[in-house]
Amino acid sequence: MGNRCRTARARYDRLVHAPPLTITCDCGAAESVPYGERWRCGACGKTWDTAQIPRAEYEALLHGVRRYRLLVLGPPLLLAGVLVPLTIFSGVQFAFLLFMLVMAHALLVVPMARRRATARARERMPSWNLRPE
Ligand SMILES: [Zn+2]
């Protein structure tokens, strides 16, 4: 590998979006780059291409992100889909119920899902070696 290979590392601080890849250049400069895009280092002029990362490996990474997003956004949307029509047609007590359930989800389920996703990400933090062009 030698010192001409550098590591692209996935970042997990923005789990809600497709995680950008952090490329560290030979010269030490680092940049977050979306998958599939090229980055030309401003300090030394080397070009790094994240498309060198196999798509299947990046997709595997996205799978974990999507599962987390589904767990965080799915239940509140589902509850709203059921309880908002009930509020309109049957009464305001269902709006209160919706509020309580969404709060419970946000306080109980979301922190757990976040902890689990972060732990899993740390365990299997993927990194790839890129070649400059
Ligand atoms: Zn550089």
Side-chain angles (χ1 to χ4, degrees):
M1 295 302 188
N3 64 359
R4 288 187 62 78
C5 285
R6 279 298 163 183
T7 297
R9 194 177 281 282
R11 285 164 46 139
Y12 283 88
D13 51 346
R14 279 186 238 140
L15 276 164
V16 175
H17 304 286
L21 301 156
T22 301
I23 297 179
T24 309
C25 185
D26 285 341
C27 69
E31 179 69 31
S32 281
V33 183
Y35 178 73
E37 288 189 11
R38 282 209 177 89
W39 170 60
R40 189 169 184 277
C41 176
C44 70
K46 281 193 183 116
T47 303
W48 305 88
D49 189 0
T50 59
Q52 287 173 7
I53 295 164
R55 175 158 280 280
E57 291 178 26
Y58 186 72
E59 295 281 326
L61 176 80
L62 282 187
H63 182 74
V65 175
R66 284 204 200 98
R67 209 168 60 165
Y68 171 80
R69 186 166 21 183
L70 196 70
L71 205 60
V72 169
L73 297 179
L77 290 176
L78 207 67
L79 286 169
V82 173
L83 292 173
V84 167
L86 277 176
T87 302
I88 293 167
F89 294 112
S90 302
V92 78
Q93 69 270 27
F94 290 103
F96 182 69
L97 183 63
L98 174 64
F99 174 77
M100 293 300 286
L101 289 173
V102 169
M103 283 300 285
H105 174 263
L107 292 175
L108 301 174
V109 179
V110 171
M112 194 186 69
R114 189 188 305 270
R115 262 200 307 278
R116 212 178 279 167
T118 309
R120 203 175 43 233
R122 252 191 230 114
E123 259 168 45
R124 290 191 250 148
M125 180 73 92
S127 69
W128 300 271
N129 290 315
L130 302 181
R131 299 170 306 279
E133 295 182 330

